[in-house]
Amino acid sequence: MELSIEKFKVRNFFIFLTFFFMGFYQFNLTFIFFVISSLLLIRNLNKRKLDKDLFIYFCLTYSGVVLFYLISFINGMYDNFNNKGEVVAVLLFIVITFIILLFTKKDNHNAILNGFVFGLGGYSLVCLWSTMFEMNQFSAYGKVWNPFLQVYQNSPAHAINVALLVTMLLINIKNVKLLITKVFNILLLFVCLYLGLYTGSRVFVLIFLVSLIVTFFDKKFMALLPVIILLSYTVLSFFTDFIDLDSLTSLDRVTSEGSESGRYKLYELGINNLFKYPFGGYYIDNGTYGTIWNHNLFLDISRMSGLIPLSLILLSFIFVARKILSNFKYVNKNYLLIFSCLFVLMMQDVVFTGHYLLFILSFLISSLLILSYKGEKSVYH
């Protein structure tokens, strides 16, 4: 029995590393640990049956993604991608995720999800730490120094990564039993909150508050919530050398222009062009709109490749939503929280041509939701 437990721990560890390096933007290390994990899982080949729902979801998603890239390249939209390596990474990471999920049990699912989110958030924490202490930048609002690539990047992607890690940490703090693991998650949460607020992102604050309320919801907590927020703001006021409180609390960008805002106009443009360009292939005038993207997963897919890939990817989300609603009582609510936050983020961010790992995480968490209401009970439910 002891031997089987040790084997389980080793297998979980390598699966965790596979998805950690996937989230950490490390293509080669992801593939190496995927091979090791596959060798450890090979004994399960004859024990696991192909899950029909997971297979249908994979086929819808993968065919949509392949057609998106294919039509985008035919349309000459390849200059929208940062580099061709990202295209290979998306196509390979989806397959790796699907294969591992086929041959793992629910006991492995938390290692998979934690690995990816910790990798994603860890990468951005390093970048924000470098921006704060190496570059001595007053605030990371607008730009973040990436020491891995030696370039400045836009801050929203890093704020999103840390926000998703905060959500994962809150879930862990509530559910893990081992004291040392709980303490580690609490300490890392404080680091995430400090560096997340350093980005000056209101989306980060919103995701944190929603996750905090949903994860720990009860009457006593709700009564204390205003006090917690007030105390937190008071403490933060002592750290104004590195946190721009004005960028966090100002609502000017939200309220000043309303439907005349640039983001609203981008959405309007994307919707109006849905049927004008059924196969995509149009550019957004940077001089007019201040960007070349729609900042919305579905509208950017339509702009680059048209209605066919859009329909397939939309169908994949509808398929997941239908499965969630029809099995809501048994669906893992923690996974559902992360999925909900992620979906909102993808509706206002550049995904395939920018933060492509958000879509990989979307595929992963959707797959886990499909599997969460079947068979044995999951560890966190």
Side-chain angles (χ1 to χ4, degrees):
M1 183 64 181
E2 189 65 30
L3 181 61
S4 64
I5 291 174
E6 291 304 316
K7 283 184 177 180
F8 173 77
K9 288 181 179 179
V10 170
R11 187 169 65 239
N12 256 11
F13 176 69
F14 281 107
I15 290 172
F16 175 88
L17 287 179
T18 300
F19 285 91
F20 176 84
F21 286 117
M22 188 184 294
F24 210 81
Y25 299 84
Q26 298 298 311
F27 184 91
N28 293 332
L29 288 172
T30 297
F31 187 74
I32 290 170
F33 284 104
F34 165 65
V35 171
I36 297 172
S37 300
S38 298
L39 292 173
L40 293 172
L41 290 168
I42 201 165
R43 61 181 294 180
N44 293 339
L45 281 174
N46 297 322
K47 297 180 181 179
R48 305 291 290 177
K49 293 181 179 179
L50 179 64
D51 187 277
K52 180 182 175 183
D53 291 338
L54 181 61
F55 182 70
I56 292 172
Y57 173 62
F58 168 76
C59 290
L60 284 171
T61 303
Y62 204 71
S63 57
V65 172
V66 169
L67 283 173
F68 163 72
Y69 284 127
L70 182 62
I71 297 174
S72 295
F73 277 86
I74 292 172
N75 284 338
M77 306 289 285
Y78 46 81
D79 58 337
N80 279 241
F81 300 106
N82 293 326
N83 59 71
K84 308 307 180 290
E86 291 184 2
V87 177
V88 177
V90 171
L91 295 173
L92 186 62
F93 286 172
I94 291 176
V95 172
I96 287 175
T97 302
F98 175 67
I99 290 173
I100 289 183
L101 288 178
L102 277 180
F103 303 113
T104 53
K105 296 183 178 181
K106 288 187 181 178
D107 291 338
N108 304 114
H109 289 177
N110 290 309
I112 291 171
L113 184 58
N114 271 276
F116 193 101
V117 176
F118 269 70
L120 202 63
Y123 186 89
S124 290
L125 288 178
V126 173
C127 293
L128 290 168
W129 187 271
S130 179
T131 304
M132 179 182 286
F133 293 107
E134 290 185 27
M135 309 305 289
N136 292 317
Q137 195 169 304
F138 167 66
S139 170
Y141 184 69
K143 64 178 184 177
V144 172
W145 174 251
N146 188 322
F148 303 105
L149 303 177
Q150 294 292 299
V151 295
Y152 275 104
Q153 297 177 319
N154 291 331
S155 60
H158 293 286
I160 287 171
N161 289 350
V162 179
L164 290 169
L165 178 55
V166 164
T167 301
M168 190 79 253
L169 289 170
L170 289 170
I171 292 171
N172 288 345
I173 290 167
K174 181 180 179 181
N175 290 283
V176 296
K177 304 300 181 185
L178 193 62
L179 180 60
I180 189 170
T181 307
K182 192 181 286 286
V183 170
F184 170 77
N185 279 273
I186 291 172
L187 292 176
L188 185 56
L189 176 64
F190 283 117
V191 174
C192 288
L193 289 175
Y194 185 62
L195 291 177
L197 292 170
Y198 174 57
T199 65
S201 169
R202 281 157 295 206
V203 171
F204 172 82
V205 175
L206 177 63
I207 294 296
F208 165 63
L209 290 176
V210 169
S211 300
L212 183 68
I213 292 168
V214 172
T215 305
F216 293 96
F217 181 83
D218 61 41
K219 291 182 179 179
K220 291 182 180 178
F221 173 78
M222 292 305 294
L224 288 172
L225 186 61
V227 178
I228 294 171
I229 295 173
L230 182 62
L231 286 175
S232 300
Y233 190 85
T234 304
V235 171
L236 285 173
S237 66
F238 291 102
F239 296 96
T240 53
D241 286 344
F242 284 115
I243 296 177
D244 185 358
L245 294 178
D246 289 338
S247 68
L248 286 170
T249 56
S250 173
L251 296 177
D252 287 347
R253 288 166 58 201
V254 181
T255 60
S256 62
E257 295 180 302
S259 63
E260 295 300 314
S261 68
R263 189 62 59 88
Y264 182 88
K265 289 178 179 178
L266 285 169
Y267 295 159
E268 185 179 41
L269 175 69
I271 293 169
N272 289 337
N273 285 339
L274 275 175
F275 296 101
K276 288 182 182 178
Y277 297 88
F279 298 101
Y282 71 91
Y283 285 84
I284 295 174
D285 183 13
N286 188 43
T288 302
Y289 294 95
T291 183
I292 59 172
W293 302 286
N294 287 107
H295 287 268
N296 178 279
L297 171 66
F298 299 130
L299 293 178
D300 276 321
I301 290 171
S302 171
R303 177 180 63 82
M304 296 182 65
S305 58
L307 296 176
I308 299 174
L310 174 63
S311 299
L312 288 168
I313 292 175
L314 267 174
L315 280 173
S316 72
F317 278 96
I318 292 170
F319 180 80
V320 173
R322 181 173 171 272
K323 291 297 175 182
I324 290 172
L325 292 174
S326 59
N327 300 277
F328 189 78
K329 182 179 178 181
Y330 307 102
V331 165
N332 187 305
K333 303 306 185 294
N334 295 314
Y335 296 163
L336 185 58
L337 170 61
I338 298 175
F339 175 81
S340 301
C341 293
L342 185 60
F343 186 82
V344 171
L345 292 170
M346 290 194 297
M347 293 303 102
Q348 54 88 54
D349 196 22
V350 181
V351 180
F352 276 116
T353 54
H355 199 351
Y356 67 94
L357 283 180
L358 286 186
F359 189 80
I360 305 298
L361 180 57
S362 170
F363 176 78
L364 169 60
I365 196 69
S366 297
S367 300
L368 293 179
L369 278 167
I370 289 172
L371 295 172
S372 71
Y373 58 82
K374 300 181 178 185
E376 70 276 10
K377 187 177 180 181
S378 59
V379 179
Y380 296 173
H381 197 81

